[in-house]
C-alpha cells in the first residue's frame, strides 16, 4: 500500500504563531500548552492567526472481532450492531458530546457481524474479523480493501468541507487486537500492556492476556510490514482507521486522535504514510496501559487525562473545546500595542539600571 507523500505542517507559520504569542496581553508562556496547541493549529491551517474550526467531523468505525467470542470482553459481541443503531439514532455518548461541539457524526460499518442499515454499510468489507489468537484477522485482499475504504472515507469528509477530523470506534473486543498491534510495534510484554477494556474481571483479564500472547507469537515475523500486521492480528476496522488517518495527513487535515484502538491504528498509519503523526494531536490518555505506550511511541502528548475508556471518539470530543480555546486566544486576544498595555520591556527601558 502506498500513500502520497505527507507534507509537514508549516514551520514558518508555527514560528509566526510563537511571535504573535509574545505580543499578546499576558505574561510569556502563561497560557501553557494552549500556546503550543494554537501554534500547531496555525501550522496545520497554514495561516497566522488561525481560524476556529468550522466543520469538525467524527467518523466512528464499527467492526466485530472473532476474539470477542472467547471471553475477552465484559459484553457480548451482539452489542456492536446494537450500538451502531444507537449511534445512528443519536443516542450514544459520541452523539451527545458532538452536539455540544457542533461536530457532525458519521458511523460506518466496516466489519460488523450483522446486517446494518445500507446508509452505514457502503464500505463494509466482511462480517467480523478472525479470532487473532488462532487465525488471521483478514485476507491480504481484505486488508487492502479496508485501507482503501478508510482512505476513501477521509477523502469524502475533506471534500465535503471537514476542517478537523476525529476517528472513533465501536466494536466489542477491539482492545485485544489494538493491544497486540501496540505491543508488537513497541516490543512490550503482554502483561504490561493488557487493560480491562470494557471492564472484564480477573478471569477475563487472564483470558485476554493469553489471547494477546498467542496473537503476538503469530504476528512476530510481520512487525515491519503494516499490511501483514493488520492481516494477521488487526481487523478490518483497524485497517480502515489506519487508511483514514494516513489519508487525512496526506490531505493536510488535522486530526484529534482518541483512545487506545484509534491510537493503535495511528501507529500503523504512521508506517503507511511517514510523517502523518505531525497532523495529529492526542485528545486524551485512556486507562488502557497500551494507550500510554502507544502515545509515547508516537510522541503525542495527550491534552486531557480524565480516566476515560469509552471509545467512540468521546475523549477526542471532550478535548476539542480546549483546542478551540487555544485557537481563540491566539486569534482574538489584543496585543500589547493594540491595547496600550505596557510590557516588561517597557519597564526595563524606563529604568535600565533596575534601581527604581
Amino acid at each position: 500500500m502506498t500513500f502520497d507523500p505527507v507534507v509537514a505542517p508549516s514551520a514558518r507559520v508555527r514560528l509566526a504563531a510563537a511571535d504573535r504569542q509574545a505580543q499578546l496581553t499576558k505574561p510569556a508562556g502563561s497560557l501553557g500548552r494552549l500556546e503550543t496547541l494554537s501554534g500547531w493549529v496555525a501550522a496545520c491551517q497554514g495561516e497566522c492567526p488561525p481560524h476556529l474550526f468550522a466543520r469538525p467531523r467524527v467518523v466512528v468505525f464499527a467492526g466485530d472481532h472473532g476474539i470477542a467470542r472467547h471471553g475477552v470482553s465484559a459484553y457480548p459481541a451482539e452489542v456492536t450492531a446494537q450500538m451502531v443503531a444507537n449511534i445512528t439514532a443519536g443516542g450514544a455518548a459520541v452523539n451527545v458530546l458532538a452536539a455540544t461541539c457542533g461536530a457532525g457524526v458519521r458511523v460506518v460499518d466496516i466489519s460488523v457481524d450483522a446486517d446494518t442499515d445500507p446508509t452505514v454499510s457502503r464500505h463494509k468489507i466482511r462480517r467480523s474479523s478472525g479470532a487473532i489468537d488462532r487465525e488471521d484477522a483478514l485476507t491480504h485482499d481484505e486488508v487492502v480493501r479496508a485501507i482503501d475504504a478508510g482512505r476513501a472515507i477521509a477523502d469524502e469528509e475533506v471534500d465535503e468541507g471537514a476542517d478537523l477530523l476525529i476517528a472513533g470506534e465501536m466494536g466489542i473486543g477491539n482492545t485485544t487486537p489494538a493491544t497486540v498491534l501496540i505491543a508488537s510495534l513497541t516490543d512490550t510484554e503482554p502483561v504490561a500492556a493488557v487493560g480491562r477494556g470494557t471492564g472484564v474481571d480477573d478471569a477475563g483479564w487472564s483470558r485476554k492476556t493469553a489471547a494477546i500472547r498467542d496473537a503476538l507469537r503469530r504476528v512476530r515475523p510481520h512487525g515491519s510490514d503494516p499490511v501483514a500486521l493488520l492481516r494477521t492480528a488487526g481487523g478490518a476496522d483497524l485497517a480502515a482507521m489506519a487508511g483514514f488517518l494516513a489519508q487525512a495527513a496526506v490531505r493536510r487535515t488535522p486530526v484529534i486522535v482518541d483512545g487506545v484502538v484509534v491510537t493503535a491504528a495511528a501507529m500503523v498509519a504512521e508506517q503507511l504514510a511517514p510523517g502523518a503523526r505531525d497532523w495529529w494531536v492526542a485528545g486524551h490518555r485512556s486507562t488502557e496501559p497500551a494507550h500510554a505506550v502507544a502515545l509515547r511511541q508516537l510522541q503525542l502528548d495527550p491534552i486531557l487525562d480524565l480516566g476515560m475508556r469509552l471509545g467512540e471518539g468521546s475523549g477526542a470530543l471532550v478535548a476539542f473545546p480546549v483546542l478551540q480555546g487555544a485557537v481563540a486566544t491566539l486569534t482574538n486576544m489584543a496585543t500589547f500595542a493594540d491595547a496600550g498595555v505596557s510590557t516588561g520591556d517597557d519597564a526595563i527601558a524606563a529604568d535600565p539600571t533596575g534601581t527604581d
Side-chain angles (χ1 to χ4, degrees), residues 49-106:
H51 56 268
L52 290 171
F53 293 107
R55 196 172 187 274
R57 289 281 290 174
V58 185
V59 180
V60 181
F61 292 81
D64 278 307
H65 296 267
I67 197 65
R69 303 289 182 184
H70 300 281
V72 300
S73 174
Y75 288 84
E78 291 76 14
V79 168
T80 301
Q82 294 164 1
M83 281 301 300
V84 167
N86 187 31
I87 295 169
T88 303
V94 62
N95 305 105
V96 175
L97 291 169
T100 70
C101 301
V105 176
R106 173 185 182 185

Side-chain angles (χ1 to χ4, degrees), residues 9-34:
S10 172
R12 176 187 59 79
V13 174
R14 194 188 298 263
L15 286 174
D19 288 342
R20 179 173 171 80
Q21 285 285 356
Q23 301 170 36
L24 300 180
T25 49
K26 59 178 178 60
S30 59
L31 283 177
R33 186 138 180 248
L34 292 184

Side-chain angles (χ1 to χ4, degrees), residues 168-225:
E169 43 69 32
M170 181 62 241
I172 299 302
N174 61 11
T175 61
T176 298
T179 302
V180 173
L181 295 179
I182 292 167
S184 174
L185 291 170
T186 61
D187 195 25
T188 301
E189 287 295 320
V191 71
V194 180
R196 299 281 174 172
T198 50
V200 293
D201 58 17
D202 289 346
W205 183 89
S206 296
R207 288 191 295 270
K208 184 175 180 178
T209 301
I212 288 170
R213 183 176 290 113
D214 290 345
L216 280 169
R217 292 192 188 103
R218 298 186 64 258
V219 82
R220 189 170 291 124
H222 306 301
S224 60
D225 183 342

Side-chain angles (χ1 to χ4, degrees), residues 141-159:
D141 177 66
E142 287 168 342
V143 175
V144 172
R145 286 168 50 214
I147 293 172
D148 281 342
R151 186 189 336 229
I153 292 165
D155 282 337
E156 289 164 10
E157 294 298 331
V158 175
D159 289 345

Side-chain angles (χ1 to χ4, degrees), residues 227-296:
V227 173
L229 188 63
L230 290 166
R231 171 181 58 79
T232 308
D237 52 346
L238 285 152
M241 278 185 276
F244 177 84
L245 293 166
Q247 186 65 8
V250 169
R251 295 295 303 270
R252 306 186 190 188
T253 303
V255 175
I256 306 179
V257 176
D258 193 45
V260 65
V261 179
V262 177
T263 308
M267 294 187 71
V268 181
E270 174 64 17
Q271 289 189 318
L272 292 169
R277 66 183 176 187
D278 292 337
W279 289 90
W280 309 329
V281 66
H284 77 125
R285 180 187 289 110
S286 82
T287 59
E288 287 289 302
H291 193 208
V293 173
L295 291 173
R296 283 196 299 271

Side-chain angles (χ1 to χ4, degrees), residues 260-333:
V260 65
V261 179
V262 177
T263 308
M267 294 187 71
V268 181
E270 174 64 17
Q271 289 189 318
L272 292 169
R277 66 183 176 187
D278 292 337
W279 289 90
W280 309 329
V281 66
H284 77 125
R285 180 187 289 110
S286 82
T287 59
E288 287 289 302
H291 193 208
V293 173
L295 291 173
R296 283 196 299 271
Q297 182 77 6
L298 288 170
Q299 300 178 346
L300 295 177
D301 185 14
I303 295 173
L304 303 173
D305 188 347
L306 299 177
M308 297 177 68
R309 56 179 174 84
L310 174 62
E312 301 179 9
S314 57
L317 281 166
V318 174
F320 175 69
V322 177
L323 199 60
Q324 288 283 67
V327 174
T329 52
L330 178 60
T331 300
N332 297 327
M333 280 182 68

